[in-house]
Amino acid sequence: MAASSRSSAPFLLCFLLLLAPPISASSLFDGGKSKSAAAVDMEWRPATATWYGDAEGDGSTGGACGYGSLVDVVPLKARVGSVSPVLFKDGEGCGACYKVKCLDHSICSRRAVTVIVTDECPGGLCAFGRTHFDLSGAAFSRMAVAGAGGHLRDRGQLSVVYRRTACKYGGKNIAFRVNEGSTNFWLSLLVEFEDGEGDIGSMQIKQANSVEWLDMKHVWGATWCLVRGPLVGPFSVRLTTLSAQKTLTAREVIPRNWKPTATYTSRLNFEASL
């Protein structure tokens, strides 16, 4: 009974989200160009940082964004970061990239480390509106001068500065993982490898032989869903970034004979810049 309840929970959450007021997707899309783009904050700002996991390890296994085993392999490997709610943004901050730099030059280099939001730390140093990064041991150590990684980790907590930076996944294109349990009446997708801003603010899907773009609902982390049916593939997917409202359309990226747990890779990505 417990297992059945767990498997139905994502569907129920997606269904409840459909009762919320819809997010308008009108007049957004022109092939990846920015439309009424909001500026991405590129200023260095103060924060705190800690580390977790193995001393030179990759950090979390999985994480609240839902990337699963992707956090253990390149290009995410050793670059993962768990962030406080102010940066996690209820999951809409998933995939965003930040540069983090320690200013104590007695032990820290002048080099910033780039981290990707893959997880949330909701309590402790991350609570009460604080801006905090809980980094993998490897990422935390990279802020040190040569040979001082161990001494830096011994400090445990650091004052740092951070700023947004473009995500660059090195030749990867945006991919869509069809989540387990998806059916022709409940489709759940997880978005991976978005260059540039990295975050997703809205997502739409279009069925075969249709001109209607359907708004998907943000469920949690990097996961979006649609309760409607029967849904008929192939599906085109349209993404809009959260920070600057840049758009991209992957046409017929999910085939007619799609399967749950499969990942379908597009031929497109956002510009690897902000």
Side-chain angles (χ1 to χ4, degrees), residues 3-274:
S4 175
S5 299
R6 283 196 298 271
S7 63
S8 62
F11 169 80
L12 292 174
L13 178 56
C14 188
F15 180 78
L16 290 173
L17 285 169
L18 287 178
L19 303 179
I23 299 172
S24 174
S26 61
S27 304
L28 278 176
F29 314 112
D30 54 2
K33 297 179 182 178
S34 174
K35 193 155 191 158
S36 63
V40 177
D41 187 356
M42 299 292 287
E43 296 294 322
W44 288 100
R45 299 189 180 277
T48 51
T50 50
W51 66 279
Y52 66 111
D54 295 335
E56 292 290 346
D58 300 336
S60 64
T61 299
C65 289
Y67 295 131
S69 59
L70 286 179
V71 302
D72 299 322
V73 296
V74 175
L76 271 68
K77 181 180 177 67
R79 300 170 66 197
V80 304
S82 179
V83 295
S84 53
V86 69
L87 296 181
F88 191 71
K89 303 174 185 176
D90 293 325
E92 288 189 332
C94 287
C97 297
Y98 292 88
K99 286 189 178 294
V100 181
K101 180 166 57 175
C102 168
L103 298 179
D104 184 351
H105 295 150
S106 68
I107 193 169
C108 293
S109 72
R110 299 179 184 274
R111 180 181 64 251
V113 62
T114 299
V115 298
I116 303 164
V117 175
T118 62
D119 204 354
E120 179 182 30
C121 57
L125 291 169
C126 296
F128 307 112
R130 299 187 186 101
T131 304
H132 185 79
F133 292 83
D134 199 17
L135 306 179
S136 68
F140 192 90
S141 302
R142 286 176 186 169
M143 291 188 289
V145 296
H151 295 300
L152 189 64
R153 293 193 301 273
D154 287 344
R155 292 196 178 184
Q157 178 182 339
L158 294 174
S159 294
V160 297
V161 291
Y162 75 99
R163 67 171 176 84
R164 284 290 296 275
T165 190
C167 294
K168 299 177 182 179
Y169 287 109
K172 293 277 189 180
N173 285 329
I174 292 174
F176 303 93
R177 185 196 310 166
V178 181
N179 288 317
E180 185 176 5
S182 289
T183 70
N184 291 335
F185 291 85
W186 174 66
L187 182 62
S188 176
L189 303 177
L190 182 133
V191 191
E192 304 169 348
F193 303 130
E194 312 95 79
D195 277 349
E197 292 162 57
D199 53 21
I200 298 299
S202 66
M203 184 166 164
Q204 293 76 35
I205 194 167
K206 184 163 68 73
Q207 302 182 73
N209 302 319
S210 174
V211 296
E212 182 183 10
W213 286 98
L214 305 172
D215 287 328
M216 301 192 79
K217 294 291 184 178
H218 180 232
V219 185
W220 56 274
T223 296
W224 298 72
C225 73
L226 179 65
V227 177
R228 180 162 171 163
L231 297 166
V232 179
F235 301 114
S236 298
V237 182
R238 182 172 275 168
L239 304 175
T240 303
T241 63
L242 177 67
S243 302
Q245 296 186 353
K246 296 177 183 176
T247 64
L248 179 149
T249 301
R251 301 193 181 279
E252 300 189 351
V253 63
I254 300 173
R256 182 180 297 274
N257 60 342
W258 61 269
K259 298 182 183 302
T261 73
T263 298
Y264 301 100
T265 302
S266 74
R267 299 179 180 179
L268 304 170
N269 214 323
F270 292 103
E271 292 183 6
S273 61
L274 293 180

